[in-house]
Structure formats: C-alpha cells, structure tokens
Amino acid sequence: HEFVLTLWGGHTTFGGAAPTPGTSALVAVVGPVANLLLAAAFALLALRVAPDGTVLRAVLGAGALANGFVGLFNLVPGLPLDGGRILEAAVWAATGDRHRGGVVAGWTGRVVAVAVVLGVLGRAWLAGVAPDLVSVVWAALLGAFLWSGASAAVRAGRTGRAVDSLSVSS
C-alpha cells in the first residue's frame, strides 16, 4: 500500500497478511538481502573503481558500511525488524499458530530493544569511560522505537488470537 520514510530509514506496508509462513519469511528476508547486496556492490566499486584516498572511495565505503550494517541489523530476530518477521514465520511454521509467532517475536524484540540500550552503555563502562550523550540518546531512541514496535506486535498477536476465537454463537 505504501512506502514510508522515517528517521530510521523506512518500511513498506502491504494489504494483507502472508498466506503461509514461507511467504512471510521470504518477504521479510528480501529487504536485508537487498541491503547486503548493495553493501557488496559499493565495496566492490570502492576497491575496483575509486582511487585510494579520494572522496569517491570514502563515499562508496560509507555506502558499503551503512548498507552492511542495516542489512545485518535488520536480520536480528525480534520484531519490528525483518529478522523478527522471519522468527515469527518460523514459530508459525513450527506451531501452526500465526499469532503465537507474533507474540514470541514481539517478546524477542523487547529483549533486543533492552539489549541495544544496555550494549551501548555496557560497552562504554567496560572500556572504563562514561558513555557520551549522543550515543546514549541514539541508543534510547532506537531502543524506544524497537520496544514500541515489539509491544505492538505482542498486542496484535494477542488480539488476533482473541478475534479468531470469536464465533457467532459466542
């Protein structure tokens, strides 16, 4: 239905739920794979086309690094990330319950959200320095975004299960 650009990059929205876990996983993996292919293409161009020490090489290297990071980070198994959709599909395939997949992937996404914040703070403290304000703010924003999306997935899974259990007689 739409392409949405956000502070974190963006996402797409579709008209309906995927009919099978395999379809859901396939749709989810396409984004990170595209980022990883772009990262490889930028890296190859940087090494083969751009002379060492040039602005072009720096820009291509930044493109490779950014796309590589986004592709790998999006594969982390927790909603709202694409890896969360893959986890959701795996749980759905294993249990036959789409809604359980959403709840499991949502809770895993909450763990990821907390881990992002603790990882930034812990890395600085383990290095024996105070975390800088910019890193803390970015980690908090990213953690809040992930927590919000994960919580929405948990609610959607629970609501979907409740709706599926409704019948005309009840």
Side-chain angles (χ1 to χ4, degrees), residues 55-135:
V55 172
L56 178 60
R57 185 143 186 185
V59 169
L60 292 171
L65 185 64
N67 277 285
F69 175 79
V70 169
L72 292 175
F73 187 73
N74 268 325
L75 287 173
V76 172
L79 285 172
L81 301 171
D82 291 319
R85 289 280 169 223
I86 296 166
L87 174 61
E88 177 185 45
V91 172
W92 176 13
T95 65
D97 184 350
R98 171 192 295 253
H99 305 300
R100 177 173 290 151
V103 171
V104 168
W107 274 101
T108 305
R110 286 176 169 175
V111 170
V112 169
V114 171
V116 164
V117 175
L118 292 179
V120 168
L121 297 175
R123 193 182 96 167
W125 287 327
L126 287 174
V129 297
D132 65 283
L133 182 61
V134 172
S135 296

Side-chain angles (χ1 to χ4, degrees), residues 146-170:
L146 292 171
W147 184 273
S148 175
S151 295
V154 170
R155 278 191 306 277
R158 290 179 178 159
T159 301
R161 181 174 289 128
V163 168
D164 284 353
S165 68
L166 293 175
S167 66
V168 174
S169 63
S170 66

